[in-house]
Amino acid sequence: MPATPGQSPVFRFAPSPNGLLHLGHALSAILNHDMARDSGGRFLLRIEDIDLARCTPELEAAIYRDLAWLGLEWETPVRRQSEHFADYATALERLREMGLVYPAFMTRGEVKARVAASEAEGAAWPRDPDGSPHYPEDDRHRGDDERRQLMAGGMRHAWRLDMEKAIATVNRQLTWQETVDGTPTIVAADPAAWGDVILSRSDAPSSYHLSVTVDDAEQAITHVVRGRDLFQATAVHRLLQELLGLPQPLYHHHRLILDEDGRKLSKSEKSTGLQALREAGASAADIRRRIGL
Ligand code: GLU
């Protein structure tokens, strides 16, 4: 990836400790580490543990163990998202002051039922690039009084971005710079494809999109290198960067490591887990070979 003039590149690997690392994580971590080394840049590790119910200290320890075994070194202290909820709350407050977020009261089950009912009538329901249905419009159209009343009554709620308003506020076509086969390319961002994304949950004070955007800026990341499965999500991150006045890094979404059936690896799959491979006698060099490095 090209260096940013006058700036020492900063790379990061940002795993979530909600499962064990697999070969796909190894590819991401090694690419970031080696690109940082080869460009005289920095390599940071960020623990994305906002999901307090699923992330555990044991899985976090396993991440450090696996990465050290791969021969990687990273700067310390490591940023752990669970220690920075205040930063995400500040960003959310800013968006709230801009009138771009609203409290969303529907449970997952209610959304599912609504979508199913609509689809049963033959109406297509919009879905995001990951295949999840867009959040219904009901809550977006509530008045302030009704919102206050529902919240005062103790209704559990998340906060969602009013995508239409957010796009209108930015009011220009957003793009990002993606490195494809070593060549810088401009990609048009399509945040609308995601609908009203969630920014903070009823059971977690932030969301992936919000915390990743805030942290990439907070840690002055210049190069985001991550799997292709997050390519489309970059549109949301670019929108949030614009709204919050944050700098935009360069992006490279690398190939994914697939299983024998051509599916994305999952954290529960034993045969491709780094710990399991190590215990079966593999070396770090074997892992590099297996992922084509
Ligand atoms: N925490 C995310 C994951 O484990 C990666 C975030 C990112 O690289 O932007 O999938």
Side-chain angles (χ1 to χ4, degrees):
M1 286 177 86
T4 319
Q7 214 177 0
S8 163
V10 186
F11 292 81
R12 87 321 190 255
F13 174 56
S16 298
N18 56 10
L20 292 169
L21 299 189
H22 54 54
L23 290 169
H25 296 105
L27 178 62
S28 242
I30 294 173
L31 283 178
N32 274 287
H33 172 270
D34 290 3
M35 283 180 184
R37 185 195 57 202
D38 298 346
S39 61
R42 301 167 58 199
F43 173 58
L44 309 184
L45 177 61
R46 178 163 78 227
I47 299 295
E48 301 212 324
D49 58 348
I50 53 173
D51 185 347
L52 299 172
R54 289 172 64 219
C55 296
T56 69
E58 291 74 27
L59 289 167
E60 185 179 329
I63 289 175
Y64 300 137
R65 213 162 39 236
D66 287 348
L67 296 181
W69 172 66
L70 288 174
L72 308 187
E73 283 173 31
W74 55 91
E75 288 184 19
T76 51
V78 164
R79 184 173 172 94
R80 301 172 73 239
Q81 291 190 322
S82 57
E83 292 167 357
H84 297 278
F85 285 131
D87 292 352
Y88 316 131
T90 303
L92 183 65
E93 184 54 30
R94 196 144 161 216
L95 297 170
R96 195 181 289 128
E97 280 164 7
M98 296 165 80
L100 300 180
V101 298
Y102 64 84
F105 300 100
M106 289 176 85
T107 63
R108 258 192 212 126
E110 283 166 345
V111 174
K112 226 172 136 182
R114 169 68 63 80
V115 174
S118 162
E119 286 178 341
E121 284 173 14
W125 191 278
R127 287 180 182 265
D128 70 23
D130 286 345
S132 298
H134 283 194
Y135 190 73
E137 289 186 16
D138 315 39
D139 291 331
R140 195 198 302 162
H141 300 306
R142 285 184 210 284
D144 282 345
D145 285 348
E146 192 188 356
R147 283 179 181 155
R148 262 193 296 274
Q149 237 171 41
L150 287 167
M151 287 192 283
M155 270 278 268
R156 281 168 70 85
H157 60 278
W159 288 91
R160 286 184 177 266
L161 185 70
D162 184 328
M163 185 55 84
E164 239 176 72
K165 257 198 207 167
I167 290 172
T169 300
V170 168
N171 196 24
R172 66 189 174 86
Q173 173 65 58
L174 292 178
T175 58
W176 75 84
Q177 187 177 310
E178 174 80 23
T179 301
V180 185
D181 297 331
T183 307
T185 312
I186 300 298
V187 179
D190 180 19
W194 291 92
D196 291 353
V197 287
I198 196 157
L199 297 181
S200 112
R201 302 185 172 277
S202 57
D203 57 356
S206 188
S207 73
Y208 162 62
H209 292 308
L210 184 63
S211 44
V212 84
T213 304
V214 168
D215 281 356
D216 283 340
E218 193 62 45
Q219 296 190 289
I221 303 299
T222 59
H223 293 66
V224 170
V225 175
R226 59 187 175 195
R228 258 220 75 94
D229 50 337
L230 292 169
F231 180 88
Q232 300 288 355
T234 308
V236 176
H237 308 163
R238 283 292 299 115
L239 178 62
L240 292 173
Q241 285 159 6
E242 283 311 292
L243 294 169
L244 295 166
L246 304 175
Q248 53 168 316
L250 304 174
Y251 290 89
H252 170 57
H253 293 89
H254 60 72
R255 65 191 159 88
L256 298 178
I257 307 285
L258 303 175
D259 68 12
E260 284 119 42
D261 303 320
R263 278 189 308 247
K264 224 177 91 177
L265 300 185
S266 88
K267 283 186 169 166
S268 53
E269 225 163 336
K270 285 275 176 319
S271 59
T272 52
L274 299 184
Q275 185 173 302
L277 289 165
R278 178 169 66 248
E279 284 165 4
S283 68
D286 293 332
I287 301 297
R288 279 190 181 250
R289 252 193 312 278
R290 191 149 160 204
I291 57 181
L293 291 177

